[in-house]
Amino acid sequence: MQQKRKKENKKAVKTALTHVFLIFLGLIMIYPLLWMFFSSFKPNNEIFGSLGLLPKQVIWDSYYRGWNSGQFTYGLYFKNSFILVTPVVLFTLISSALVAYGFARFNFPFRKTLFSIMISTLMLPNAVIIIPRYILFNHFNWLNSYKPFTIPSIFACHPFFIFMMVQFFRGLPRELDESATIDGCNTFSILVRIHTPLLKPALFSAAIFQFIWTWNDFFNSLIYINSVRKYTISLALRMTLDTAAAANWNEILAMSTLAIIPSVLIFFFAQNYFVEGIATTGIKG
Amino acid sequence: MKGHRMGERKRRQYIGLLYISPWLLGFLIFQLYPFVSSFVYSFTNYNMTSNIKFVGLKNYIEIFTKDSQFYNSLKVTIFYVLMAVPMKLVFAFFIAMILNIRIKYVNYYRTIYYLPSILGGSVAVSVLWRFLFADNGLINEILSSFGVHKIGWLSSPKIALFTISLLTVWQFGSSMVIFLAGLKQIPKELYEAATVDGISKPGMFFRITLPLLTPIILFNLVMQMIIAFQEFTASFVITSGGPMKSTYLYAMKLYDEGFLFMKMGYASALSWILFIVIMIFTALIFKSSEYWTYYEDGGK
């Protein structure tokens, strides 16, 4: 009896210690982001060389000044980012769903080969194709526009999402298609009317991943967009960082905080879709 | 009747091809063509303005014999990959193991740990890193309050690359979620049977958990390695490749040659060398995995 109690106590202590560790780790993970948020309200001389999270003296206008710091306001950069990201997300969803449907439900010559090729492009390093792509887009006259982002997404150039949706299609029973065919549905209306409602979680996962990846993208924006008027939020931040080297640190932190807010909001409202999306494909994130 | 059915099957084939045609076109135009043509460009001196002239192996010879920054950036990148990827995966695995024990509030922990992953390559986070690890930044202030001397996280050539790797480790959440999903799929009966057989907890880990997860570890390892070889934003925004080129990652070298100096032929050669290096690493991992990866069907 006593031994059993001892064992239970030991277990309780162990569980408590695990929680202490996990909470401590959580704090380490989240502290940088909290620090960024609170420091955006600190005067510049308080940002470096102090430990505290809360500002001793609260500065309210860092957001206002950061927003209006450059040639254009951050309003423009946010607008640009949305103008770039929205069509990319929409086109990616439509094209990836069509292609995944084709791979998952139809038999055609070389289907297996083509599918393997599609999967292997997941591993194709972007670095090896970036230069000819740039030259190609230059020939098309697409440089300094958002076409290098939107047009490839019309052509399902993000194999990650095709793969993700193929996995979901495979989970839908084929009897659905068969009974719909008997009812006189053609293949396209099966996709739109029968599958799309069921695919909603997959589409939603794909949408938020693509939103966040495109929103955060820096390298492609850097090489394809060169006029400040068309800058996205990533490029604008980098510009502010370079020009405001003088010491308007709270402004930079304020704008960085704003830049991550869309992603963080989406994450908190839709976190289960993230987990599902990664777990079903088993690929990065 | 039979003829009709054959026709129907043929028609379905064409419809299937129709559905995948966007990808097929996209693949040919935006992936295969650039892939092949970057190989062709690598034998030219193309610089966006002049006519294309074939120069044979000149680019490759110059890279291997004259370009000291090539060797440096390759070395830095390989160090970075060997440091960041194992740290990230080991950590992700460790935390996934802890969260897999039936414990309360797992979802909350998972959410918090995952959050940094979605901010990953963003400029905002790189900006933040620059502040946190500055000589008089938060990290050093915390250390000095414990009486530890200030560390040149980003100003010392010996440490800067490690500091950038920490940014990668901070984003361990997505790998953790993949491991967690894998752990959940291991049948409970295996552990029950092992308990009956009197196998200890560490024994179960090494004889059940680890072997069954090796395919997932392999997959993660390969993908994370390929991504790490191309890391750009962190070194570009946080350190600009410095101090003393100690964080001058290969992707930055590629960017400088291709998009700063517009030496497209030269940069194409660089990109193919990177491709070969990645292929070699991938092949090594796959080859070695024959010895450490376990498949349930016994097939290799």
Side-chain angles (χ1 to χ4, degrees):
Chain A
M1 187 71 188
Q2 213 175 8
Q3 217 173 13
K4 197 181 165 194
R5 207 148 157 207
K6 223 175 174 177
K7 216 174 165 186
E8 265 170 17
N9 276 341
K10 213 174 146 194
K11 210 180 160 192
V13 170
K14 219 173 146 191
T15 313
L17 282 177
T18 313
H19 277 294
V20 169
F21 171 75
L22 290 174
I23 290 169
F24 181 69
L25 183 68
L27 274 177
I28 295 179
M29 297 298 289
I30 221 76
Y31 197 84
L33 296 172
L34 294 176
W35 182 86
M36 175 160 86
F37 174 72
F38 286 111
S39 295
S40 65
F41 296 102
K42 287 177 184 171
N44 282 318
N45 58 16
E46 218 188 288
I47 288 175
F48 287 113
S50 83
L51 261 180
L53 196 58
L54 296 174
K56 284 181 203 116
Q57 181 196 344
V58 179
I59 297 291
W60 293 107
D61 66 345
S62 56
Y63 281 82
Y64 176 79
R65 280 186 294 117
W67 187 270
N68 296 304
S69 61
Q71 184 184 355
F72 301 102
T73 68
Y74 265 76
L76 178 75
Y77 307 134
F78 268 96
K79 201 179 96 191
N80 286 343
S81 277
F82 277 110
I83 291 176
L84 186 155
V85 172
T86 313
V88 169
V89 171
L90 281 178
F91 293 149
T92 303
L93 289 186
I94 296 168
S95 61
S96 308
L98 287 174
V99 173
Y101 181 55
F103 273 123
R105 285 297 204 254
F106 296 87
N107 252 320
F108 43 84
F110 305 113
R111 187 179 68 105
K112 279 201 171 139
T113 318
L114 289 172
F115 190 72
S116 315
I117 291 175
M118 195 270 291
I119 293 297
S120 62
T121 60
L122 275 171
M123 292 166 60
L124 181 69
N126 193 38
V128 75
I129 55 175
I130 196 74
I131 287 174
R133 263 197 184 188
Y134 181 84
I135 298 169
L136 191 69
F137 293 161
N138 182 35
H139 281 303
F140 292 162
N141 236 337
W142 289 357
L143 295 189
N144 202 25
S145 80
Y146 301 148
K147 284 182 189 147
F149 301 87
T150 46
I151 310 248
S153 68
I154 295 176
F155 290 97
C157 280
H158 303 275
F160 172 79
F161 299 111
I162 304 177
F163 179 56
M164 186 168 134
M165 288 187 205
V166 167
Q167 298 289 84
F168 270 88
F169 272 114
R170 282 179 178 158
L172 303 179
R174 269 177 189 271
E175 288 77 38
L176 276 178
D177 303 42
E178 281 156 18
S179 59
T181 312
I182 293 165
D183 289 347
C185 279
N186 65 27
T187 58
F188 186 68
S189 63
I190 290 176
L191 173 66
V192 175
R193 287 206 237 142
I194 316 261
H195 288 157
T196 306
L198 297 169
L199 269 179
K200 259 186 203 155
L203 291 172
F204 206 66
S205 294
I208 52 189
F209 271 115
Q210 184 66 318
F211 177 91
I212 285 173
W213 288 345
T214 316
W215 184 269
N216 286 341
D217 171 73
F218 177 60
F219 185 73
N220 291 301
S221 318
L222 182 68
I223 63 173
Y224 292 131
I225 301 169
N226 45 45
S227 74
V228 180
R229 187 182 290 279
K230 290 183 178 164
Y231 266 19
T232 57
I233 203 80
S234 309
L235 293 174
L237 271 181
R238 154 87 195 319
M239 181 175 65
T240 309
L241 189 66
D242 280 358
T243 52
N248 296 324
W249 294 313
N250 53 16
E251 292 175 26
I252 300 166
L253 289 173
M255 291 306 107
S256 298
T257 306
L258 289 184
I260 66 166
I261 281 179
S263 310
V264 172
L265 280 182
I266 289 183
F267 174 69
F268 276 113
F269 283 114
Q271 41 167 312
N272 284 331
Y273 289 97
F274 277 90
V275 173
E276 253 171 62
I278 308 174
T280 45
T281 53
I283 307 174
K284 65 164 191 174
Chain B
M1 192 63 197
K2 205 181 168 197
H4 173 73
R5 256 170 79 186
M6 282 290 279
E8 179 64 23
R9 231 173 85 192
K10 264 251 138 61
R11 211 173 67 90
R12 251 187 100 78
Q13 286 192 356
Y14 286 122
I15 293 175
L17 277 173
L18 196 66
Y19 279 115
I20 67 152
S21 60
W23 169 77
L24 202 53
L25 282 172
F27 167 70
L28 293 174
I29 301 168
F30 298 119
Q31 285 176 316
L32 188 62
Y33 166 74
F35 181 66
V36 174
S37 67
S38 77
F39 189 64
V40 177
Y41 279 123
S42 74
F43 299 102
T44 72
N45 66 352
Y46 189 53
N47 63 3
M48 299 296 285
T49 48
S50 69
N51 285 325
I52 299 183
K53 211 178 89 191
F54 279 89
V55 293
L57 288 170
K58 188 168 164 281
N59 288 330
Y60 290 96
I61 292 169
E62 207 179 311
I63 290 170
F64 283 114
T65 57
K66 289 184 191 149
D67 194 338
S68 65
Q69 276 316 315
F70 160 72
Y71 285 108
N72 176 52
S73 62
L74 188 62
K75 194 186 80 192
V76 167
T77 309
I78 290 176
F79 271 138
Y80 167 76
V81 171
L82 293 181
M83 194 156 50
V85 176
M87 274 201 296
K88 180 180 186 176
L89 291 184
V90 169
F91 198 58
F93 193 86
F94 177 63
I95 302 300
M97 286 292 298
I98 295 180
L99 291 186
N100 193 45
I101 329 167
R102 256 184 259 154
I103 197 167
K104 276 184 193 165
Y105 315 119
V106 166
N107 286 345
Y108 294 101
Y109 291 128
R110 196 180 56 189
T111 304
I112 296 292
Y113 299 162
Y114 189 68
L115 181 62
S117 296
I118 61 151
L119 306 171
S122 70
V123 175
V125 165
S126 294
V127 169
L128 175 62
W129 231 242
R130 219 165 119 159
F131 279 90
L132 289 178
F133 288 94
D135 281 347
N136 52 351
L138 180 72
I139 306 294
N140 269 341
E141 291 301 323
I142 292 175
L143 288 181
S144 66
S145 75
F146 287 108
V148 181
H149 273 291
K150 284 191 176 175
I151 295 172
W153 293 105
L154 293 170
S155 57
S156 154
K158 279 188 189 143
I159 303 171
L161 193 65
F162 173 74
T163 310
I164 287 183
S165 310
L166 282 183
L167 178 56
T168 314
V169 180
W170 188 54
Q171 298 154 34
F172 75 96
S174 56
S175 303
M176 177 198 71
V177 170
I178 299 174
F179 285 138
L180 253 178
L183 284 169
K184 290 242 153 64
Q185 275 171 2
I186 299 178
K188 292 237 160 34
E189 294 79 42
L190 288 178
Y191 294 108
E192 282 158 18
T195 317
V196 172
D197 288 352
I199 294 171
S200 66
K201 279 261 163 73
M204 287 187 203
F205 175 77
F206 286 109
R207 286 156 78 177
I208 300 173
T209 317
L210 205 54
L212 284 177
L213 278 182
T214 44
I216 298 178
I217 295 173
L218 170 68
F219 188 73
N220 256 300
L221 190 61
V222 172
M223 291 313 285
Q224 293 294 336
M225 181 200 69
I226 294 174
I227 296 167
F229 261 110
Q230 303 177 76
E231 177 58 45
F232 174 77
T233 310
S235 71
F236 189 80
V237 177
I238 303 176
T239 55
S240 317
M244 289 162 66
K245 300 274 180 193
S246 63
T247 59
Y248 193 56
L249 291 178
Y250 202 93
M252 251 190 100
K253 168 80 179 157
L254 199 64
Y255 172 82
D256 283 350
E257 298 294 345
F259 300 103
L260 214 60
F261 310 133
M262 290 292 159
K263 287 161 71 178
M264 292 306 184
Y266 195 79
S268 295
L270 282 173
S271 74
W272 263 82
I273 295 170
L274 178 66
F275 179 65
I276 304 285
V277 171
I278 294 178
M279 291 296 286
I280 292 172
F281 271 76
T282 311
L284 283 177
I285 294 175
F286 273 116
K287 197 81 203 142
S288 76
S289 74
E290 284 172 17
Y291 300 99
W292 58 264
T293 309
Y294 170 88
Y295 291 102
E296 262 171 280
D297 53 8
K300 303 239 155 147

